[in-house]
Amino acid sequence: MKKQYAERFWPYDPAALAAAAPPPHLKLFRGLIGAKSTYSAGKSSVEQYARAAQAAGLDFLIFMDDFDKLSPQKLQTLKEDCRKFSSDKLKLLPGFSIRRLALLRPDVRE
Protein backbone atom coordinates (compact mmCIF):
# COMPACT_ATOMS: atom_id res chain seq x y z
CA MET A 1 0.00 0.00 0.00
CA LYS A 2 2.79 2.47 0.86
CA LYS A 3 4.50 1.81 -2.45
CA GLN A 4 1.31 2.67 -4.32
CA TYR A 5 1.24 6.15 -2.78
CA ALA A 6 5.00 6.70 -2.76
CA GLU A 7 5.11 6.36 -6.54
CA ARG A 8 2.23 8.73 -7.12
CA PHE A 9 3.04 12.40 -7.71
CA TRP A 10 0.57 14.86 -6.26
CA PRO A 11 0.91 18.21 -8.07
CA TYR A 12 0.99 21.37 -6.01
CA ASP A 13 -1.17 24.03 -7.64
CA PRO A 14 -1.24 27.35 -5.71
CA ALA A 15 -3.94 28.71 -8.04
CA ALA A 16 -6.27 25.85 -7.11
CA LEU A 17 -5.62 26.45 -3.41
CA ALA A 18 -6.39 30.15 -3.73
CA ALA A 19 -9.92 29.29 -4.83
CA ALA A 20 -10.50 27.68 -1.43
CA ALA A 21 -9.45 30.78 0.51
CA PRO A 22 -12.14 32.29 2.74
CA PRO A 23 -13.80 35.53 1.67
CA PRO A 24 -11.94 38.65 2.86
CA HIS A 25 -14.65 39.54 5.40
CA LEU A 26 -14.15 36.23 7.26
CA LYS A 27 -11.23 35.35 9.53
CA LEU A 28 -9.47 32.03 9.16
CA PHE A 29 -8.42 30.64 12.55
CA ARG A 30 -5.37 28.42 13.00
CA GLY A 31 -5.06 26.17 16.01
CA LEU A 32 -4.31 22.82 17.57
CA ILE A 33 -6.81 20.40 19.08
CA GLY A 34 -5.61 17.59 21.33
CA ALA A 35 -2.63 18.91 23.32
CA LYS A 36 -1.84 17.03 26.54
CA SER A 37 -0.31 18.96 29.42
CA THR A 38 1.79 17.77 32.33
CA TYR A 39 -1.47 17.45 34.28
CA SER A 40 -1.99 14.11 32.52
CA ALA A 41 0.23 12.39 29.93
CA GLY A 42 1.92 15.43 28.35
CA LYS A 43 5.50 16.58 28.69
CA SER A 44 4.92 20.37 28.58
CA SER A 45 3.13 22.83 30.82
CA VAL A 46 0.25 25.05 29.73
CA GLU A 47 2.64 28.01 29.78
CA GLN A 48 5.15 26.23 27.52
CA TYR A 49 2.36 25.32 25.09
CA ALA A 50 1.17 28.93 25.12
CA ARG A 51 4.63 30.25 24.24
CA ALA A 52 5.07 27.69 21.45
CA ALA A 53 1.58 28.38 20.06
CA GLN A 54 2.22 32.13 20.02
CA ALA A 55 5.56 31.61 18.26
CA ALA A 56 3.78 29.44 15.66
CA GLY A 57 1.13 32.11 15.09
CA LEU A 58 -1.79 29.99 16.33
CA ASP A 59 -5.10 31.53 17.35
CA PHE A 60 -6.28 28.75 19.67
CA LEU A 61 -5.10 25.65 21.49
CA ILE A 62 -7.50 23.05 22.88
CA PHE A 63 -6.16 20.74 25.58
CA MET A 64 -7.47 17.17 25.66
CA ASP A 65 -5.88 15.77 28.79
CA ASP A 66 -6.59 12.17 29.83
CA PHE A 67 -9.64 12.16 32.10
CA ASP A 68 -8.46 9.17 34.13
CA LYS A 69 -5.23 11.01 35.03
CA LEU A 70 -6.92 14.27 36.07
CA SER A 71 -7.91 14.82 39.67
CA PRO A 72 -10.50 17.52 40.38
CA GLN A 73 -7.64 19.77 41.56
CA LYS A 74 -5.58 19.16 38.39
CA LEU A 75 -8.60 19.94 36.20
CA GLN A 76 -9.23 23.15 38.13
CA THR A 77 -5.57 24.15 37.77
CA LEU A 78 -5.70 23.39 34.03
CA LYS A 79 -8.70 25.72 33.72
CA GLU A 80 -6.92 28.44 35.70
CA ASP A 81 -3.73 28.09 33.64
CA CYS A 82 -5.69 28.33 30.39
CA ARG A 83 -7.31 31.55 31.62
CA LYS A 84 -3.99 32.92 32.88
CA PHE A 85 -1.98 32.28 29.70
CA SER A 86 -4.69 33.17 27.17
CA SER A 87 -4.42 36.54 25.45
CA ASP A 88 -6.22 38.63 22.86
CA LYS A 89 -4.27 36.78 20.17
CA LEU A 90 -4.30 33.24 21.62
CA LYS A 91 -7.20 31.44 23.31
CA LEU A 92 -6.36 28.37 25.42
CA LEU A 93 -9.26 26.02 26.13
CA PRO A 94 -9.20 23.27 28.78
CA GLY A 95 -10.64 19.89 27.93
CA PHE A 96 -10.28 16.18 28.47
CA SER A 97 -10.75 12.93 26.62
CA ILE A 98 -12.35 9.78 27.95
CA ARG A 99 -10.88 6.67 26.37
CA ARG A 100 -12.83 4.01 28.18
CA LEU A 101 -16.59 3.83 28.30
CA ALA A 102 -16.30 1.86 31.54
CA LEU A 103 -15.23 5.06 33.31
CA LEU A 104 -18.64 6.56 32.54
CA ARG A 105 -20.73 3.39 32.69
CA PRO A 106 -19.41 0.76 35.10
CA ASP A 107 -22.11 -1.65 33.87
CA VAL A 108 -20.44 -1.79 30.42
CA ARG A 109 -17.63 -4.28 29.93
CA GLU A 110 -15.00 -3.63 27.29
Side-chain angles (χ1 to χ4, degrees):
M1 187 67 110
K2 283 184 178 180
K3 186 177 181 181
Q4 173 188 358
Y5 291 104
E7 293 174 357
R8 193 175 253 181
F9 175 72
W10 298 94
Y12 172 72
D13 182 5
L17 293 174
H25 67 282
L26 297 177
K27 178 167 175 31
L28 182 64
F29 292 96
R30 292 180 59 217
L32 173 71
I33 300 171
K36 293 185 186 292
S37 73
T38 52
Y39 294 120
S40 69
K43 300 212 185 289
S44 298
S45 68
V46 173
E47 182 179 11
Q48 289 169 319
Y49 269 111
R51 278 192 247 138
Q54 287 171 339
L58 298 184
D59 299 301
F60 67 89
L61 178 63
I62 300 175
F63 288 91
M64 297 297 291
D65 279 295
D66 296 327
F67 180 77
D68 57 334
K69 294 181 180 164
L70 286 174
S71 66
Q73 180 57 43
K74 285 182 179 181
L75 180 57
Q76 183 60 37
T77 307
L78 173 63
K79 291 178 185 179
E80 291 167 3
D81 283 355
C82 285
R83 238 179 270 118
K84 179 180 177 180
F85 297 110
S86 286
S87 68
D88 292 341
K89 294 184 179 186
L90 176 66
K91 182 69 175 171
L92 304 175
L93 301 165
F96 54 82
S97 61
I98 300 174
R99 292 182 179 266
R100 296 179 57 203
L101 184 59
L103 290 171
L104 293 175
R105 300 218 15 228
D107 58 313
V108 174
R109 291 184 177 241
E110 294 181 43

